[in-house]
């Protein structure tokens, strides 16, 4: 009786979560008026055609960015690296231990993969799907179709930035994964097992940076930066946070992998949006905190 009651509660929770995230996805895909641009920005966007030639020019600028970094930029990279190292040393193993405690073990005392109670729950699965390769394709297609039908330069900009930032992030992530060669947690080699340049295709040693979380923060950052109401700017990051949690909970990544991946996705998407909106490439945060600050990226 107690088991049936518990199953009923879990089923109800999953149903509620499912409806919530379906509503969120529909809002992001269909609520084009929520992504409206200011008249001044609309005028500047009209001068941008979002063509292949523009993409080529901007890609070359993206490739050259490391040669333009100054002391402040290297400081940011150092802080992100230090934070990643700190999480490796203090949080990676405790976080994984918590995940393993939520699972089951066989007769030999070995952990059974995918046995965690909430492994297939809607929030965890939604987070995983937000970071899959098809997520930017779906969102790109939705905004691109809207821009073609409605002749809307604003949604064309969003589609372009989703595709552009996703391609940049994918390339950078693959290069770093291959160069670092960190073993995934399920390999049972420990948090400090690295095999640099050991394989181009074997995913078992492509743990850091977390690819799903990088992609998820690219999507959420582009949507947040283009959203009009503050509540939607904040809400756009909910799926990305779930991706972070899901990849750790499903034992696919260490927490530090996703921290580094999230930062990578955020800054790449920010750079892409900035080059279309101003000439200074600034990160501005003032909508959800009582303070406002701007950080130059180049």
């Amino acid at each position: 009786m107690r088991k049936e009651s518990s199953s009923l509660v879990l089923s109800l929770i999953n149903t509620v979560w499912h409806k919530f995230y379906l509503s969120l996805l529909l809002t992001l895909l269909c609520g084009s008026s929520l992504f409206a641009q200011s008249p001044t920005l609309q005028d500047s966007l009209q001068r941008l055609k979002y063509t292949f030639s523009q993409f080529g020019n901007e890609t070359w600028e993206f490739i050259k960015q490391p040669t333009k970094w100054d002391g402040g930029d290297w400081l940011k990279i150092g802080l992100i690296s230090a934070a990643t190292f700190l999480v490796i040393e203090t949080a990676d193993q405790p976080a994984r231990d918590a995940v393993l405690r939520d699972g089951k073990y066989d007769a030999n005392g070995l952990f059974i993969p995918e046995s965690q109670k909430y492994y297939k729950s809607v929030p965890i699965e939604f987070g995983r799907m937000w970071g899959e390769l098809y997520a930017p394709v779906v969102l790109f297609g939705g905004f691109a179709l809207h821009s073609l039908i409605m002749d809307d330069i604003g949604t064309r900009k969003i589609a372009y930035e989703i595709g552009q930032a996703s391609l940049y992030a994918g390339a950078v992530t693959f290069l770093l994964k291959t160069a670092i060669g960190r073993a995934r947690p399920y390999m049972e080699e420990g948090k400090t097992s690295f095999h640099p340049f050991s394989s181009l295709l074997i995913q078992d040693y492509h743990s850091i940076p977390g690819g799903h979380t990088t992609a998820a923060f690219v999507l959420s950052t582009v949507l947040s930066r283009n959203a009009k109401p503050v509540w939607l700017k904040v809400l756009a990051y909910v799926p990305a946070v779930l991706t972070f949690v899901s990849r750790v909970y499903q034992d696919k990544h260490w927490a530090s992998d996703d921290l580094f991946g999230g930062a990578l996705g955020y800054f790449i998407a920010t750079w892409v949006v900035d080059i279309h909106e101003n000439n200074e490439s600034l990160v501005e945060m003032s909508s959800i905190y009582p303070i406002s600050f701007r950080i130059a990226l180049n």
Side-chain angles (χ1 to χ4, degrees):
M1 183 69 179
R2 182 178 299 176
K3 186 174 182 180
E4 292 178 358
S5 177
S6 177
S7 298
L8 182 61
V9 171
L10 288 176
S11 176
L12 179 61
I13 291 174
N14 278 341
T15 300
V16 172
W17 277 106
H18 180 77
K19 290 181 179 179
F20 171 76
Y21 288 114
L22 181 60
S23 300
L24 172 61
L25 187 58
L26 289 174
T27 298
L28 294 176
L29 286 174
C30 303
S32 59
S33 63
L34 298 175
F35 293 90
Q37 308 290 344
S38 66
T40 302
L41 183 56
Q42 281 280 10
D43 292 340
S44 66
L45 293 181
Q46 293 291 345
R47 296 192 292 270
L48 296 172
K49 302 300 182 182
Y50 300 110
T51 60
F52 285 112
S53 61
Q54 179 185 333
F55 175 80
N57 293 333
E58 291 173 353
T59 299
W60 179 236
E61 284 299 313
F62 179 77
I63 293 172
K64 293 190 299 182
Q65 283 305 298
T67 66
K68 300 180 179 180
W69 290 346
D70 57 20
D73 298 314
W74 288 109
L75 176 60
K76 298 184 195 81
I77 293 173
L79 290 174
I80 293 171
S81 300
T84 302
F85 177 77
L86 183 63
V87 173
I88 290 175
E89 292 299 312
T90 62
D92 272 355
Q93 195 58 55
R96 184 165 190 253
D97 290 343
V99 168
L100 298 184
R101 282 196 299 270
D102 197 41
K104 299 178 181 179
Y105 292 80
D106 61 21
N108 297 318
L110 299 176
F111 179 74
I112 302 174
E114 303 184 15
S115 64
Q116 298 94 311
K117 184 187 301 183
Y118 302 106
Y119 193 94
K120 292 294 184 180
S121 66
V122 172
I124 296 298
E125 279 295 280
F126 184 89
R128 177 189 63 79
M129 290 187 292
W130 190 255
E132 292 284 1
L133 288 174
Y134 52 72
V137 175
V138 170
L139 288 171
F140 171 86
F143 282 111
L145 183 62
H146 180 274
S147 71
L148 289 174
I149 295 174
M150 305 301 294
D151 192 27
D152 188 330
I153 190 66
T155 49
R156 183 175 183 178
K157 171 182 180 290
I158 296 171
Y160 185 91
E161 289 172 351
I162 287 174
Q164 184 178 19
S166 295
L167 288 173
Y168 293 170
V172 173
T173 299
F174 179 76
L175 290 174
L176 290 174
K177 281 178 175 287
T178 303
I180 299 172
R182 190 184 193 188
R184 293 182 186 268
Y186 61 74
M187 293 299 289
E188 302 295 351
E189 294 184 12
K191 63 184 181 181
T192 56
S193 177
F194 297 91
H195 305 264
F197 300 102
S198 60
S199 173
L200 292 176
L201 301 176
I202 298 177
Q203 295 297 310
D204 294 338
Y205 296 103
H206 283 184
S207 195
I208 191 171
H212 280 68
T213 305
T214 302
F217 272 86
V218 163
L219 288 180
S220 290
T221 300
V222 171
L223 293 175
S224 179
R225 285 290 303 274
N226 284 280
K228 185 178 180 181
V230 174
W231 66 265
L232 187 56
K233 288 179 177 292
V234 177
L235 190 62
Y237 279 102
V238 171
V241 173
L242 286 175
T243 301
F244 185 113
V245 174
S246 73
R247 299 304 284 170
V248 176
Y249 185 78
Q250 293 185 330
D251 204 30
K252 303 300 183 183
H253 284 287
W254 301 97
S256 56
D257 300 339
D258 284 348
L259 174 67
F260 187 72
L264 186 65
Y266 171 79
F267 282 111
I268 289 176
T270 296
W271 185 87
V272 167
V273 175
D274 280 341
I275 60 174
H276 300 145
E277 295 187 358
N278 56 62
N279 296 321
E280 294 182 327
S281 293
L282 296 173
V283 180
E284 182 171 348
M285 298 180 64
S286 60
S287 58
I288 58 175
Y289 297 105
I291 59 173
S292 175
F293 58 91
R294 293 156 70 85
I295 306 172
L297 295 179
N298 58 22

